[in-house]
Amino acid sequence: MKKPIKVTITGAAGNIGYALAFRVAAGDVFGPDQPVILRLMELPMTMGPLGGVGMEMEDCAFPLVHDVVLTDDPKIGFRDTNYVLLVGAKPRTKGMERKDLITENARIFSTQGRAINEHAARDVRVMVVGNPANTNAMIAAANAPDLPKERFTAMARLDHNRAIGMLAKKTNRLAADVRRMIVWGNHSPTMHPDLTHCTVGGTPALDLVSLDWAIDHMIPTVQRRGAAVIEARGASSAASAAGSVVDHVRDWFLGTPEDDWVSMSVHSDGSYGITEGLVYSFPVTCKNGDYHIVQGLEVTDFGKTRMKVTEKELLEEREVVADLL
Amino acid sequence: MKKPIKVTITGAAGNIGYALAFRVAAGDVFGPDQPVILRLMELPMTMGPLGGVGMEMEDCAFPLVHDVVLTDDPKIGFRDTNYVLLVGAKPRTKGMERKDLITENARIFSTQGRAINEHAARDVRVMVVGNPANTNAMIAAANAPDLPKERFTAMARLDHNRAIGMLAKKTNRLAADVRRMIVWGNHSPTMHPDLTHCTVGGTPALDLVSLDWAIDHMIPTVQRRGAAVIEARGASSAASAAGSVVDHVRDWFLGTPEDDWVSMSVHSDGSYGITEGLVYSFPVTCKNGDYHIVQGLEVTDFGKTRMKVTEKELLEEREVVADLL
C-alpha cells in the first residue's frame, strides 16, 4: 500500500473547507489508491464546529483516510505535512477598506508561512485559497525562506473553470471539449480571461464566438461571477471553489493532459514581462509534481494591456504589505 | 464514449443535495469514465437558490457532465431518468407530531412515485433519503405500479458507515479494515447495528470489543449521532449524508466487493421473518445493478428482539399512511 500523503486544510469548518475536506478524503485529489492523513485546522473559537466536521469524517468511513486530526495549533497542523491548502482567511466585513483587508490577511499568512517553514515536510506544496490569494501566497512564501518559493501557489482555477463553463455553454459544447483556456493575473476583477489560444472541439474559440462577445460579455461575467452566485444562492461559492482546489492540486500532483494546460497563480520568473516575484496566474503544464509556465505564447495588444492592469493591481497590493516581505 | 446516465436529485439546493450533486458530477458515484446528465429539482419557491447551484455546476467545468437541467416540474425532472435520488422532504418543525410529519411526507412521496412511474426510464432505480426514508420509499413504490418494487430503496448507509467509523476508532484500526457490518431496520433511533458477523482486520469484532460496549455505547451512539453532529456543527449532517448516498448508489451500480456486504433499506421479501413489503435495512450484496439480501445469517436472541422493535415501528408508520398504499 502507498504511504499516506499528509494534507492540511485551514478554515476546514468554513463553507469552502467543508466542501473540500470530504472530496480530498474521497480520493478526488490524490487518486483512488492513495491514502491520506487529514489535518483540519480552525481558529480556537471555531473548534466546536470543527468537531462536528470531524464526526462527519468518521461517519463517512472513507477507505483512504488513515487519520483525521483536528487542531488549532500550527505545530500540530503543519507537522511533516506534504500539502497545505490555506483556505481560511479573514473575510471583508462591512465598511472595511480593501487596504485593511490586505493588511489583516498579510499578518495571518506571514505567520502561516513561518509555521510551514518550520514544521512542514521539505517537499511541501502550498495552495492559497483565502483572499487576496495571490498576495497571501507571496507573503507566505517570503516568510518561508527554507522552502523554494515555487512551492507556494494560489487559486486561479475557479476563474479558469468559470471561463471554460461559459464558453462551453455559449458554443453549445461540453466543458470537456474546451482546451487551452488562459486566465492571466490576479484572482480579482482585474483578471484577464484570454481566448486567443483556446479551442472548442478542435476549432479555435475565436472562430466560434466574436471577440466582442468575449470582451463585452464573457470577461466581465467571469470577473463578477462570485457576486452573481451570492445573489442567487444567498451564500458564496463553496462547492465550485472547492472543486477548483481539487482540480488545481490534482493536476499539480497527477499532471496535466498532454494537449492542454491549466491556469495557476505561481511565482513569476519574469515570463511575459511580468514582474519577478509576484504570484500571478499563468498557463502552466504539470508533470511529476512540478509545474512549468508555458512559454512563447503570442499575446495580442489588448491582452498585453489587460495583463499590465492586473499586474499593476498586484504591485499595489505588494506596496501595502511591503513590511512583511 | 459511454452513453450518459440521467440522474435526478430532488431538494438539490438543500444542504445534502448541494453536497451530493457535485460529487455525482465529479464521477464519485458512476465512475471516472461515465458521463452524466443531471436533473436538479426544487420546489417553485427555491428555484432562485437552485439557479445559484446551477451556476456553480457550470463553474466547475466537470468533464463528465453533459447537461444540467434545473426544474420544479416533475415531468421534466423525471423524464427518461435512470437514477432518482429523492433527497427533498418536509422537515419536522417545532411542535409538529411525528405522525403529522409522516403524513405530510407521505403525500409528497406518493406524488413523486406516480411521476416516476409515468415519466422515468423503465430501468429507473430510486433511492430515498428524505425522512421518514423507509416509509417514503414504500409509498413511492406503491404509487409506481408499472415499476418493480425492488427498484425503490432507502438510505441505511449513513448508519452503516457511522457504525464502521465508531468500531474502527474503538479498535484503533482503519475504516477500510472493517467488514460485514450490519444495520437492521428503520433509519431511525430504533435501527439495530449488529456486530455478530463483523470483522476488523480479519478478527471477529466481538473478540476485540465487548458486547456490553456494543450494546451500551456503540448502538446508542450510532442511533443518536445525527443530534450530536447538529449540536457540534450548528447544522445537520450534510457531507456525511451525501457521502452515504454516494456509497449506496455507487455500490448498487458498480457492485460490492467479493468479501463484503453493505446495509441497504430494501423491499422485504420476508427474509429473516420481516413482514413482506416493508422497506427494511438488510445486509445486501450488489452485482450488475441488482442487489440480493444476504441469506442464512445467524441472529442472536438479542438481535431478534431488536429487529422486531424496529420492524414494529415500520408497521406503525405503515398504519399512518395506509390510505396512500
Side-chain angles (χ1 to χ4, degrees):
Chain A
M1 194 193 277
K2 291 184 183 178
K3 198 181 155 195
I5 289 178
K6 298 186 188 77
V7 186
T8 304
I9 302 176
T10 67
N15 291 333
I16 297 174
Y18 181 71
L20 176 60
F22 293 83
R23 294 201 56 198
V24 175
D28 289 358
V29 175
F30 298 102
D33 60 350
Q34 174 58 60
V36 290
I37 291 172
L38 286 169
R39 274 85 171 268
L40 306 182
M41 290 181 65
E42 265 299 344
L43 300 172
M45 65 185 123
T46 33
M47 286 303 289
L50 187 64
V53 177
M55 286 185 202
E56 287 204 71
M57 277 274 158
E58 275 174 40
D59 293 351
C60 284
F62 286 115
L64 294 172
V65 173
H66 280 216
D67 198 11
V68 178
V69 177
L70 312 178
T71 185
D72 56 6
D73 181 349
K75 279 197 296 294
I76 297 171
F78 294 134
R79 190 172 58 212
D80 297 330
T81 196
N82 307 109
Y83 279 86
V84 176
L85 312 178
L86 296 173
V87 178
K90 203 175 166 76
R92 189 167 180 171
T93 47
K94 211 173 164 178
M96 191 188 224
E97 296 282 333
R98 181 165 165 81
K99 195 176 158 176
D100 295 334
L101 177 79
I102 293 170
T103 311
E104 293 213 22
N105 275 293
R107 270 188 225 112
I108 296 170
F109 284 81
S110 64
T111 306
Q112 292 188 330
R114 282 194 296 277
I116 292 166
N117 189 59
E118 192 170 345
H119 302 294
R122 293 303 89 180
D123 69 354
V124 68
R125 286 167 170 77
V126 181
M127 176 185 186
V128 176
V129 180
N131 281 318
N134 298 56
T135 293
N136 289 342
M138 182 177 63
I139 289 165
N143 286 277
D146 303 332
L147 296 167
K149 289 193 174 357
E150 292 71 23
R151 302 271 195 72
F152 289 77
T153 67
M155 178 159 83
R157 189 61 173 266
L158 182 54
D159 310 304
H160 178 95
N161 284 350
R162 283 169 169 167
I164 289 176
M166 271 203 75
L167 181 62
K169 190 176 182 183
K170 174 71 179 175
T171 56
N172 205 21
R173 297 291 297 244
L174 303 179
D177 296 330
V178 178
R179 292 276 184 287
R180 305 193 171 193
M181 178 62 74
I182 307 175
V183 175
W184 300 96
N186 199 6
H187 178 55
S188 85
T190 66
M191 75 182 83
H192 177 53
D194 178 356
L195 298 186
T196 314
H197 302 277
C198 187
T199 60
V200 186
T203 304
L206 290 173
D207 289 356
L208 299 171
V209 298
S210 70
L211 192 59
D212 283 351
W213 175 81
I215 293 173
D216 298 337
H217 189 71
M218 189 192 96
I219 295 175
T221 303
V222 172
Q223 288 168 336
R224 291 171 203 145
R225 183 68 156 187
V229 170
I230 290 176
E231 197 174 325
R233 281 190 69 221
S236 60
S237 312
S240 56
S244 74
V245 179
V246 167
D247 290 351
H248 175 118
V249 182
R250 184 198 59 222
D251 288 348
W252 194 1
F253 180 70
L254 293 171
T256 44
E258 279 303 310
D259 60 344
D260 206 359
W261 58 58
V262 295
S263 303
M264 269 172 75
S265 288
V266 301
H267 183 80
S268 174
D269 59 0
S271 294
Y272 299 96
I274 301 304
T275 307
E276 271 190 68
L278 291 181
V279 173
Y280 189 96
S281 176
F282 291 99
V284 306
T285 55
C286 304
K287 201 172 181 177
N288 301 327
D290 289 324
Y291 61 80
H292 298 279
I293 297 173
V294 178
Q295 297 297 327
L297 294 174
E298 199 189 337
V299 180
T300 63
D301 287 341
F302 172 71
K304 281 178 191 155
T305 307
R306 299 285 314 156
M307 285 166 68
K308 283 291 169 197
V309 169
T310 189
E311 181 194 27
K312 182 162 173 281
E313 185 182 46
L314 285 168
L315 288 167
E316 287 164 3
E317 291 184 14
R318 191 169 70 170
E319 279 297 301
V320 175
V321 299
D323 59 318
L324 290 166
L325 293 174
Chain B
M1 193 193 277
K2 290 184 184 179
K3 197 181 154 195
I5 289 178
K6 297 186 188 79
V7 187
T8 305
I9 302 175
T10 67
N15 291 332
I16 298 174
Y18 181 71
L20 175 60
F22 292 84
R23 295 202 55 201
V24 175
D28 289 358
V29 175
F30 299 102
D33 60 350
Q34 174 59 59
V36 291
I37 290 172
L38 286 170
R39 273 83 171 269
L40 305 182
M41 289 180 67
E42 265 300 345
L43 299 173
M45 65 186 125
T46 34
M47 286 302 289
L50 187 65
V53 178
M55 285 184 201
E56 287 204 71
M57 276 273 156
E58 274 172 42
D59 293 352
C60 284
F62 285 115
L64 294 172
V65 173
H66 281 216
D67 198 13
V68 178
V69 177
L70 311 178
T71 185
D72 57 6
D73 181 349
K75 279 197 295 292
I76 296 170
F78 294 135
R79 190 172 58 211
D80 297 330
T81 195
N82 308 109
Y83 279 85
V84 176
L85 313 178
L86 296 173
V87 178
K90 202 176 169 76
R92 191 166 179 172
T93 47
K94 210 174 165 175
M96 192 189 222
E97 296 282 334
R98 181 164 164 83
K99 195 175 156 176
D100 295 334
L101 177 79
I102 294 170
T103 311
E104 293 212 22
N105 275 294
R107 268 188 226 113
I108 296 169
F109 284 82
S110 64
T111 306
Q112 292 187 330
R114 283 193 294 278
I116 292 166
N117 189 58
E118 192 170 346
H119 302 294
R122 294 304 89 181
D123 69 356
V124 69
R125 285 166 171 77
V126 181
M127 177 185 186
V128 176
V129 180
N131 281 318
N134 299 54
T135 293
N136 289 342
M138 180 177 65
I139 289 165
N143 286 276
D146 303 333
L147 297 167
K149 290 196 174 354
E150 291 72 23
R151 302 271 194 72
F152 290 77
T153 67
M155 178 159 82
R157 189 61 173 267
L158 181 54
D159 310 304
H160 178 95
N161 284 350
R162 283 169 170 168
I164 289 176
M166 272 202 73
L167 182 61
K169 189 175 183 184
K170 175 70 180 173
T171 57
N172 206 21
R173 297 292 299 246
L174 303 178
D177 295 331
V178 178
R179 293 275 184 289
R180 303 195 174 192
M181 178 62 75
I182 307 176
V183 175
W184 301 96
N186 199 6
H187 178 55
S188 85
T190 66
M191 75 182 80
H192 177 53
D194 178 355
L195 298 186
T196 313
H197 303 275
C198 187
T199 61
V200 185
T203 305
L206 290 172
D207 289 358
L208 299 170
V209 298
S210 71
L211 192 59
D212 283 352
W213 175 80
I215 292 172
D216 298 337
H217 190 71
M218 188 190 99
I219 295 175
T221 304
V222 173
Q223 288 168 336
R224 289 171 206 145
R225 183 69 155 186
V229 170
I230 290 176
E231 197 174 325
R233 281 190 69 222
S236 60
S237 313
S240 57
S244 74
V245 179
V246 167
D247 290 351
H248 174 117
V249 182
R250 184 199 59 223
D251 288 348
W252 194 0
F253 180 69
L254 293 172
T256 44
E258 279 302 311
D259 60 344
D260 206 358
W261 58 58
V262 295
S263 303
M264 270 172 73
S265 288
V266 301
H267 182 80
S268 174
D269 59 0
S271 294
Y272 298 96
I274 301 304
T275 307
E276 272 191 64
L278 291 180
V279 172
Y280 189 98
S281 177
F282 291 100
V284 307
T285 55
C286 305
K287 200 172 181 177
N288 302 326
D290 289 324
Y291 61 81
H292 298 279
I293 297 172
V294 178
Q295 296 297 327
L297 295 173
E298 199 188 336
V299 180
T300 64
D301 287 342
F302 172 71
K304 281 179 192 156
T305 307
R306 299 285 314 155
M307 284 167 68
K308 283 291 169 196
V309 169
T310 189
E311 180 194 28
K312 182 162 173 281
E313 185 182 45
L314 285 168
L315 288 167
E316 288 165 2
E317 290 185 12
R318 191 169 70 170
E319 279 297 301
V320 175
V321 300
D323 58 318
L324 290 167
L325 294 173

